[in-house]
Amino acid sequence: MANATGDSQPGIDRKLLEILVCPVTKGTLVYDKERGELISEKARLAYPIRDGIPIMLPEEARNLDEESSPA
Amino acid sequence: MQLFDRTLLRRRRDRAAPGFSAHDFLIRHASEDLAERLMAVNRSFPLALDLGAHQGALSYAPLPEDKIGAIVETDLSPAMLSGPEQKVRQKARPLRLAADEEALPFAEESADLVTSLLSLHLVNDLPGALIQIRRILKPDGLFIGALFGGETLSELREAMSLAEIECEGGLSPRIAPFTEIRDLGGLMQRAGFALPVTDADKLTVRYATPMHLLNELRGMGETNMLSERRKTPLRRATLMRMMEIYREKFSDPDGRIRATFDIHYVTGWAPHESQQKPLRPGSAKTRLADALGVSEKPAGEKSGPSEE
């Protein structure tokens, strides 16, 4: 889950990734490097990372069930 | 009921972000105070979280380089975090993220130090926020918070009330209720902090006119964000009368007006077995009477004056 290629990645700092949890469920987050999002499976939310700043606000997060799931 | 409109707070901070560095003297004052408090603690902190950091509060604190390892800064407003003038004194650039102090995105026992300067007075659930902070701390981790309390803006509150009663025949909520210092210690204890300490630093700031004070509050992003605030703008006549009253009641001989900022500090530790704590009742190995050099009297027999 944590991207191990180092801290120089513009995406997100590894140290930060280690301590971040979903603010709603306090569950673990998965870093989606492609989309630049932090995904909380439990809350079905994807928190965006904008200009290197993770936006850990539920009202700014993308609802995983609204667009991507086909069924 | 939500006392504070957090969405509005975010908008206020977003809007204040570009010019914030002209109005950040209270944060800077508090961060210097914070540095002194940290220097009094004989240890270093590998990972520190600064909650509601505005444009950097802990990272501005004048501290030796080895005192703090990494700093993670949060603010409700991403614009505030990416503001133009980051005042960073620490060598390592702080890591930043947008987060709400009411729903913190940090794992339990992840930080050695949590700080929060002049943000926690605007959370709806302060006891809840303090509990979250205590959980985020590693055992024996330290929390130092500063929040506006007690007498903050008491002059403005009074002048505004009098003007509203006079011009509009009633009152509307305009200035937030602030926590009293005596309540904070209890809140800290209930949130599970060990060795909680609270104290206050009351500052009087002087401005040329009440308008300058209002501009400063706007610049700080601290204007009224009560959920129950009146949604119509303040009438001009009321505003004018408020400023007159303010001048009459709260100005110095040189004509400048006074404004109180009452900063309350809270300090507490996440519990750890190494900390001093009271012994279990009945676990004493020495008799108190021996320590005091007196003879012990059986319970029930009062040694002092009788209560009859």
Side-chain angles (χ1 to χ4, degrees):
Chain A
M1 81 189 215
N3 182 296
T5 48
D7 290 349
S8 56
Q9 287 281 337
I12 185 167
D13 186 279
R14 219 173 51 204
K15 206 179 296 158
L16 196 52
L17 202 51
E18 277 168 19
I19 61 167
L20 278 185
V21 297
C22 171
V24 181
T25 64
K26 310 287 180 194
T28 50
L29 295 166
V30 177
Y31 176 38
D32 181 341
K33 200 177 157 196
E34 300 271 293
R35 299 189 71 142
E37 288 178 337
L38 292 162
I39 292 164
S40 169
E41 280 294 340
K42 235 199 242 165
R44 305 297 296 151
L45 290 172
Y47 299 93
I49 300 172
R50 292 191 200 123
D51 306 320
I53 297 180
I55 312 291
M56 305 308 293
L57 304 169
E59 66 270 20
E60 298 274 319
R62 183 171 65 86
N63 190 325
L64 292 178
D65 296 324
E66 262 169 24
E67 41 194 295
S68 54
S69 67
Chain B
M1 193 200 91
Q2 299 283 293
L3 191 55
F4 298 109
D5 185 336
R6 300 283 294 177
T7 313
L8 184 66
L9 168 62
R10 189 185 152 182
R11 282 211 300 274
R12 292 264 157 82
R13 285 212 177 158
D14 281 346
R15 208 172 311 154
F20 186 72
S21 58
H23 301 282
D24 66 350
F25 72 101
L26 285 172
I27 298 255
R28 280 189 281 125
H29 174 82
S31 71
E32 273 162 32
D33 203 304
L34 172 66
E36 274 177 38
R37 284 159 201 265
L38 286 171
M39 288 315 289
V41 179
N42 186 24
R43 57 177 277 197
S44 60
F45 301 94
L47 180 65
L49 307 180
D50 188 6
L51 308 177
H54 296 77
Q55 294 185 352
L58 178 60
S59 56
Y60 180 76
L63 288 166
E65 262 170 36
D66 55 356
K67 192 73 181 171
I68 291 167
I71 298 178
V72 176
E73 291 177 345
T74 76
D75 201 274
L76 189 57
S77 154
M80 195 55 109
L81 285 172
S82 49
E85 280 182 62
Q86 288 290 339
K87 294 194 166 74
V88 179
R89 287 201 187 171
Q90 306 301 311
K91 203 168 138 202
R93 264 173 55 91
L95 304 166
R96 306 207 173 90
L97 58 111
D100 190 336
E101 293 93 323
E102 295 189 349
L104 291 168
F106 299 107
E108 291 196 4
E109 301 193 1
S110 54
D112 305 282
L113 171 69
V114 173
T115 61
S116 179
L117 300 186
L118 304 182
S119 280
L120 287 176
H121 56 285
L122 293 170
V123 299
N124 285 299
D125 178 13
L126 184 57
L130 291 176
I131 289 169
Q132 289 191 56
I133 290 169
R134 199 252 305 144
R135 287 189 182 143
I136 287 167
L137 284 169
K138 290 179 187 163
D140 211 25
L142 175 63
F143 167 58
I144 300 180
L147 50 164
F148 289 123
E151 298 291 300
T152 301
L153 297 177
S154 56
E155 303 88 353
L156 179 62
R157 192 191 304 258
E158 189 179 331
M160 191 70 94
S161 301
L162 292 172
E164 278 196 312
I165 290 169
E166 225 180 275
C167 304
E168 308 192 12
L171 282 172
S172 74
R174 296 214 179 261
I175 300 172
F178 291 113
T179 319
E180 292 294 330
I181 192 108
R182 59 178 175 274
D183 301 330
L184 281 173
L187 285 181
M188 289 289 286
Q189 218 146 22
R190 258 178 284 154
F193 282 100
L195 314 169
V197 177
T198 56
D199 61 274
D201 176 18
K202 203 188 280 187
L203 305 171
T204 301
V205 183
R206 292 166 12 107
Y207 293 92
T209 69
M211 198 44 128
H212 286 81
L213 168 63
L214 295 181
N215 285 339
E216 179 103 285
L217 294 175
R218 198 168 299 119
M220 286 160 52
E222 291 282 342
T223 39
N224 192 5
M225 45 209 110
L226 296 176
S227 300
E228 294 296 300
R229 73 196 177 280
R230 197 183 295 185
K231 304 297 193 283
T232 50
L234 185 62
R235 275 168 41 192
R236 190 177 161 76
T238 313
L239 183 65
M240 290 303 165
R241 184 67 190 124
M242 182 281 281
M243 296 205 269
E244 255 174 52
I245 295 170
Y246 203 123
R247 274 220 174 92
E248 279 162 25
K249 297 190 73 135
F250 306 109
S251 61
D252 285 339
D254 64 358
R256 293 176 76 84
I257 57 118
R258 295 185 300 272
T260 301
F261 292 96
D262 194 0
I263 303 179
H264 290 185
Y265 289 88
V266 294
T267 302
W269 297 82
H272 185 261
E273 46 193 43
S274 70
Q275 290 158 354
Q276 41 170 307
K277 57 175 82 67
L279 296 169
R280 274 186 305 111
S283 64
K285 295 196 179 71
T286 317
R287 296 195 318 161
L288 180 62
D290 292 344
L292 296 172
V294 296
S295 65
E296 194 170 49
K297 295 186 176 146
E301 202 179 307
K302 297 274 189 324
S303 55
S306 94
E307 283 172 24
E308 290 306 302

